[in-house]
Amino acid sequence: ILKIKLLQGTSSMSQSDEYQKHHYVPQWYQQKFMLPGEHQLFYLNLRPDYFYDPRGVGHVDRALNRWGSKKCFFEKNLYTTKIKGFAPKDIEKYFFGAIDAKGKPATGYFERFNYPPEDWKTYMEELLVYMSAQKLRTPKGLSFLGSKIGDMNKNAVLKAMLKWSRIFCAIWMEGVWQIADASESNTKFIVSDHPVTVYNRECGPRSEWCRGSNDPDIWLQGTHTIFPLSLEKILILTNLS
């Protein structure tokens, strides 16, 4: 898993690769974890590449980099599809485009949440739709989905993702909601390549629930879904059936 912290320097994506570089963690979300005035992240690759220089000498690539959001958490043509009725760029441009357009203000609403709330029902639904899609759209999420449908064919997995993109929303809606605040702490929250994470204290690292691309299921008693909203706020949804 890739994990990151904060820093400086980014530029907007060029039109030529706008719908080929598919950010499975949106750039607007990454930027919420940068300090004011900074435009880069500390990007840690836990499995850096091995390469050979012109002399034929092998090297391990740098594990820690300072990159802008344009270079972080993307794969080329991750969502490019040959599904009948879809153009190759439709999933990236229209499906995730619409979800991100509503997910961004919804995330900001809960980051600034105050009680008593106003207009919370609309923002709650839009946040859950965004989180559910975010949990499935990462390489780990797509691998998880492929294992569940028993078909790792890319088009089959993308088709399933479109169909089941809201699969987690109902249980999250009925869970216990908590927003934790790190504003008075020197240690802040970070973002990873799979931002919607899941924890259950009965499922240790060697548990069958945690192997490969699996997470403890959100319907398990006591499962916490953990979603950082920004450097200083984090949302925790707990299932108490």
Side-chain angles (χ1 to χ4, degrees):
I1 294 177
L2 309 176
K3 291 188 177 179
I4 58 181
K5 239 181 172 179
L6 13 250
L7 259 225
Q8 52 189 230
T10 186
S11 59
S12 60
M13 191 181 301
S14 66
Q15 290 296 317
S16 61
D17 63 358
E18 183 178 3
Y19 297 120
Q20 293 181 356
K21 292 181 67 175
H22 297 165
H23 282 83
Y24 49 86
V25 179
Q27 293 189 71
W28 63 262
Y29 179 74
Q30 296 181 42
Q31 291 161 6
K32 296 172 73 67
F33 297 86
M34 299 174 183
L35 291 172
E38 296 185 334
H39 307 286
Q40 286 183 331
L41 298 165
F42 282 115
Y43 186 99
L44 178 61
N45 186 348
L46 297 182
R47 295 180 179 176
D49 293 331
Y50 191 85
F51 67 95
Y52 292 91
D53 64 22
R55 300 169 298 168
V57 178
H59 302 272
V60 178
D61 204 358
R62 285 193 304 174
L64 182 62
N65 297 276
R66 292 172 57 173
W67 286 343
S69 59
K70 179 181 177 180
K71 295 185 65 176
C72 298
F73 306 127
F74 79 91
E75 284 190 15
K76 281 198 171 183
N77 298 311
L78 181 61
Y79 311 123
T80 300
T81 181
K82 295 181 180 179
I83 298 175
K84 185 177 180 180
F86 284 82
K89 66 181 182 181
D90 281 356
I91 293 179
E92 172 70 2
K93 183 176 182 179
Y94 297 111
F95 181 72
F96 285 126
I99 289 176
D100 288 345
K102 294 182 178 180
K104 182 177 180 180
T107 301
Y109 173 85
F110 283 96
E111 178 189 351
R112 301 182 297 272
F113 184 83
N114 286 306
Y115 191 85
E118 297 180 5
D119 301 325
W120 61 273
K121 290 184 178 180
T122 298
Y123 286 116
M124 176 181 282
E125 180 178 352
E126 291 171 350
L127 179 68
L128 292 180
V129 169
Y130 170 74
M131 287 176 58
S132 188
Q134 176 64 79
K135 193 174 189 304
L136 293 176
R137 75 195 285 185
T138 66
K140 178 178 178 178
L142 294 172
S143 177
F144 161 82
L145 189 56
S147 68
K148 292 299 183 184
I149 66 172
D151 190 344
M152 298 305 294
N153 175 271
K154 179 181 179 181
N155 291 315
V157 173
L158 291 176
K159 190 173 182 179
M161 181 190 67
L162 294 172
K163 182 178 181 180
W164 301 108
S165 65
R166 301 187 178 202
I167 193 170
F168 305 108
C169 293
I171 290 179
W172 284 341
M173 178 74 79
E174 296 172 355
V176 177
W177 288 53
Q178 177 185 11
I179 298 175
D181 186 341
S183 58
E184 296 184 13
S185 172
N186 291 328
T187 302
K188 308 300 182 183
F189 299 116
I190 63 174
V191 61
S192 76
D193 63 345
H194 193 67
V196 181
T197 59
V198 176
Y199 170 74
N200 189 302
R201 68 180 185 181
E202 297 299 324
C203 304
R206 296 182 181 179
S207 165
E208 62 179 310
W209 295 97
C210 301
R211 294 174 188 166
S213 57
N214 291 325
D215 281 328
D217 274 325
I218 66 167
W219 51 261
L220 291 174
Q221 176 79 355
T223 290
H224 305 285
T225 300
I226 303 167
F227 178 59
L229 299 167
S230 66
L231 277 171
E232 296 187 339
K233 298 292 181 67
I234 193 167
L235 177 64
I236 305 168
L237 308 179
T238 303
N239 178 44
L240 299 176
S241 57

